């Protein structure tokens, strides 16, 4: 059986130096055709290096993000995803708004069959907030394991 | 796609010094409009810094609380939640009563689509009590991971 | 919203010195009215300090017990539960028989909506036995997390 | 409520010295009447001390076995189970064949309502094999937790 | 009950020295008849020693693979599986394409009742990619535990 | 060899109801004669249920405390220790000051051969503070294991 | 090199049924000659199945004990050690007194070159007590790893 | 014994809104007098929310930092420390240079008796770098536990 | 710098089929010249697949062994080590005697600069035995990390 | 205090595409001047993506490597280190020889004050080998934490 190949024509970021976009709006998400278009599978990205700003105080916020999606016609190119996530560095947004907005941007760009995001934010006031968003139930017959990020436990 | 913004007018506690309310009754839970009102997602708070009093002996009790909810029109403002939980510091209540009462107060204030609370109390007499309360089954198609708080194991 | 209060009249053990009952038969399980009778929630007790005797050899056996129940009209008073479990100290019973019998006694006394017990016994002959008993399927819409007691792994 | 007692008449191995059977065929599995015959519960044995031989090379193989069953009329007597498992010490069998054969022997002897076995074999060629066999779906309303044996992770 | 025996005639790799195939295409997957053909069970391979090359840069990639399948008439011979996986050492492929292709090759060779693969790739650009592919829903009544590979957590 | 007995005459708190002292100054630490006065050994208390107030803002602080000491002539009676620690509930003190002060009070009351305290405070501003104080080096030949409290890791 | 053999003449408990001694005083510790008398090595026993009684209230206490010793002329026979530890089941003693007394009894019987005990007691009043006793510093050149028993962490 | 109080006069950041300093040079580290100046103890800060920029590419770097110090006359005020660490957000520096520079700045400001820093950086090119710097050996008789940050393990 | 090569002439077991030796006495330990004879380093073998027989009852015993040594002129060839350890499969020996004997045989054959063995035996009677033997203190300037095998914890 | 800057002139690999060197001999290790030359600190690299070949059979070997060094005048440039480690991909060497050779090459290139390597190899024949090499004792007053790589545990 011949292995599928991935069409990378049209990519502008992969394998080249690229500065951090100044804002999410300026970030360009790039995509490649799904090499297994007739096959339903799930792709997971874990992004523990996420930071944004509090829209009220300007203080930094940090989160560990995990994104799962079932591609339709397109895969997201991972370097452009990294730059898109990095573009929140100087962007102010509340936890709930920011996490769901990332998911919706990816849905816009990729038209995946299904997508979800877990945003595991660092504690403020002794209480962390986690946000769990999915576009709907996991499609029948597709395998999507738990994200398994440990809960916050305080000390001891 | 424009990111949702959060309407914070009407908040009286966020970003200002605020003393601990003297009792749960005196605590004010504040709310902001859900920035993604047409989208079903789950919000989790982990609160490992909870303490109340035994209504019989007046001795302190401690718990690790985890609250999950699917917002309807409103999000709870997290600083007011922190102060509400802090207001149990001088309040006497049994574990079962206290844990469920917190959930019902939040339901009253937020009218969420769904809510649950896990109360993981510290052991008394060598036996800890955990309380698990949900307003009903998780709504179809919404993603709510396990709370994953480790069980009590004694020693060894 | 007024918080529910718990009616503790009629309790004879809580807050008073009480010796260990000589046998399970002599142990008295006490109960209080469920403070949230119209609300379905789950109560978990973890009891890692359980010991009984082998009915054949008289040698001590040890177990870690975890009990989950959905109260109906009654809650078990936890000090009486502790004394009931302590009353197996000089009682001989096989693992399977003992674990299920504790569950049935609680069902008899509390008429809960549902109850289960996990008995995690220490190894004999290099092989531990676990017993898992539930009165039936978890009632629809009630949240009962996994007990999550780690399996026995031997050494290494 | 009177506690069930276990009828141990007819047992020949429990509480007496007994040598290791020379082969699985020679091993005698003994059973006692189920002390709670009208009650559906699950019994788990964890056996991390299992070893057999490779049928091709005669080299030792090792496995960690976990057996779950829902008894019908009979319980397996655990010392006879230990000796049966020990009887594979000089027996040659492939991982898949051996694991499933143990399950089928137990089914033959006990006629349980349901049974499953997880065979977690030590790596050969850098790759361990796990075998998961169940006689069918878990019967409705019976509680059977995950076996929770950690996956093999190599090093690091 | 007589134990099933495994027919190993026709195998060319097991128990003999065998060099690493130069590419996946040149690798020969061998199979033996399923010793329990009328019984549905699951076989898991954990392969933490997988490496391939990036098709764009030629730099090495590493992954931890876990494969689950429910055999039909055939079992894969594990030494040939090891050599097949080793044959990716000098092969260039993207994560998504490579992981799914391994699954499809196995499906081609074994015609299993069901198969899935989890590909847990090491991070690039601070973000690891996991791929989860299954041929369809787990067949009714077959037991397939979670793969349980821990998520990537960065540092701290 | 006759076992040492402990002289409990003069104790006023053990085995009797006792309210929480209003402040550390009002708390009474009680002591009993060391039952093995000629033997050097270490006693460890783990107190994960500690809370005090921020002296500037009045907001609650939480800590997990671990105290090790080598008794001289006296042992601290543990119920009085519990009440003493509970007396910080309405007391304002900075982390560094509070942790060391607890140690010094115990030194004053017990004149131990050696004592240390680890104060593992919950994070504020995303950064927890731990305080480690010992009266000096561990005396030669006495065994004092690491406290082994896990470090704070944020999320992920 | 011929392997050392162990002289088991004079043992009265090993391999025979033996009831639990009624008290520590009545328990008989048996010993065998050290099979490697000219070699300094350390022997560790982990005993997680220990229980005694509170001398004031008669309520059960539980502990996980770990004993390390460097044998001189004698090894303790492990079944007699098990029965000795079991003999505390109906014995009242404080944690500090009980833990050190076990060590001293073993020193009396075995005259080891060195011995230590860690007593990891289950929490009372939310605070567990650990006792660490050693007869002196570890002799030069002998290897004695940490006992590595995890600290108590409360919940969360 | 009177508890030490902390002199907070002269602080300009604590308890007031304060923006992130534009660079480490502009950040102001504030200090308070050590409340226990005659007592040697160690203070630990864990800072998992650290980010800076690569001086060559401008791409974000992330680290988990842990700082231990033995105060002399001064304690660092923790809010000013948080702002100082936050000031690296737009600062370019190599891992080795950055980690050691933070330590030296603190030494300059606080003249501690001793100080160390562990910088646990997120992987680049599949390989994380950790930096461990101390001003010298731990002073005799002061207790400084291991930082215990887990090593990087890749996947699986 | 040219890399050292290893002289493998004279080896009779490596890379060839070899049956399990019938006893430790019949097992042949083979050795190769140390490729870095002027350099002091430590070699660790972890052997979790060890089994022997109880010399009194003939019942199987299991252990997890970890061996560390600092080679002198010779390295042990690892396949011969594996066969030597496998040769205890039908050999009867007490835990203490067996563990130390393995160390001494290796010392005899290899004349290492230093050697130690940790024998972590599976529990019997609820109590596992660990044996720690070293030929002496770790030589100055050589790095030998802890073996880090987790202690036995029973259940829960 | 001005932060040290790093002189990167003369580097040929960093920030540019670079193919994998064909062998360790052909790999070029590059270095930059130590930005804190008068300060003793330790640098750790964790490299879980290491693979080489068995010099006898040509089969792949895998290892997790951890390297610690105290720089003298030079730091190793980390991209060149990555390429050097990658150059073992087609290189045959025994575990002991290979691990120590990597250390010696680094010593040759960097003349560090001190260096050590831990090589944690994947199991062969059920037994993994770890190699621990240091150039000598850790220099007085420098802080080098344990590498803390978990031991191999087999299954269960
Ligand atoms: Ca906290
Ligand atoms: Ca307790
Ligand atoms: Ca325990
Ligand atoms: Ca065992
Ligand atoms: Ca094991
Ligand atoms: Ca492996
Ligand atoms: Ca990372
Ligand atoms: Ca944080
Ligand atoms: Ca993190
Ligand atoms: Ca706690
Ligand atoms: Ca906690
Ligand atoms: Ca990696
Ligand atoms: Ca790995
Ligand atoms: Ca046990
Ligand atoms: Ca336990
Ligand atoms: Ca193995």
């Amino acid at each position: 059986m011949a292995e599928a190949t991935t069409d990378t024509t049209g990519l502008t970021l992969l394998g080249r130096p690229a500065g951090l976009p100044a804002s999410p709006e300026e970030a360009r998400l790039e995509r490649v055709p799904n090499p297994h278009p007739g096959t339903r599978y799930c792709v997971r990205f874990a992004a523990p290096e996420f930071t944004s700003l509090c829209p009220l105080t300007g203080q930094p916020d940090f989160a560990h993000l995990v994104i799962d999606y079932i591609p339709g016609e397109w895969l997201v190119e991972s370097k452009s995803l990294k730059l898109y996530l990095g573009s929140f560095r100087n962007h102010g947004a509340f936890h709930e708004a920011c996490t769901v907005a990332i998911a919706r941007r990816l849905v816009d760009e990729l038209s995946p069959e299904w997508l979800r995001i877990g945003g595991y934010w660092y504690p403020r006031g002794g209480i962390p907030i986690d946000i769990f968003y999915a576009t709907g139930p996991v499609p029948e017959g597709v395998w999507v394991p738990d994200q398994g990020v440990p809960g916050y436990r305080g000390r001891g």
Side-chain angles (χ1 to χ4, degrees), chain A:
Chain A
M1 200 194 80
E3 184 177 325
T5 53
T6 305
D7 175 2
T8 58
T9 59
L11 296 185
T12 69
L13 299 167
L14 186 57
R16 286 166 218 170
L20 213 52
S23 71
E25 288 70 27
E26 288 170 52
R28 172 170 185 174
L29 273 168
E30 298 194 331
R31 60 193 196 184
V32 294
N34 180 349
H36 294 287
T39 304
R40 292 206 299 181
Y41 60 97
C42 179
V43 179
R44 172 171 296 173
F45 296 100
E49 305 185 20
F50 184 84
T51 182
S52 57
L53 298 176
C54 173
L56 276 194
T57 65
Q59 292 294 320
D61 282 325
F62 286 78
H64 177 102
L65 303 180
V66 182
I67 297 164
D68 292 319
Y69 76 106
I70 302 172
E73 279 178 67
W74 303 102
L75 293 182
V76 67
E77 190 279 311
S78 65
K79 185 171 179 187
S80 75
L81 175 65
K82 176 190 159 181
L83 291 168
Y84 169 60
L85 295 179
S87 76
F88 285 80
R89 192 173 184 85
N90 297 308
H91 178 75
F94 283 106
H95 297 357
E96 290 90 341
C98 179
T99 311
V100 176
I102 290 169
R104 298 181 92 161
R105 172 78 183 268
L106 285 162
V107 167
D108 264 18
E109 305 273 5
L110 301 176
S111 301
E113 198 176 329
W114 174 89
L115 181 146
R116 76 177 180 191
I117 186 169
Y120 307 86
W121 295 81
Y122 284 57
R124 292 293 172 261
I127 298 179
I129 300 182
D130 295 346
I131 309 295
F132 307 106
Y133 167 66
T135 57
V138 178
E140 192 83 5
V142 184
W143 170 42
V144 185
D146 282 350
Q147 293 194 346
V149 176
Y152 176 67
R153 58 171 285 196
R155 304 302 309 279

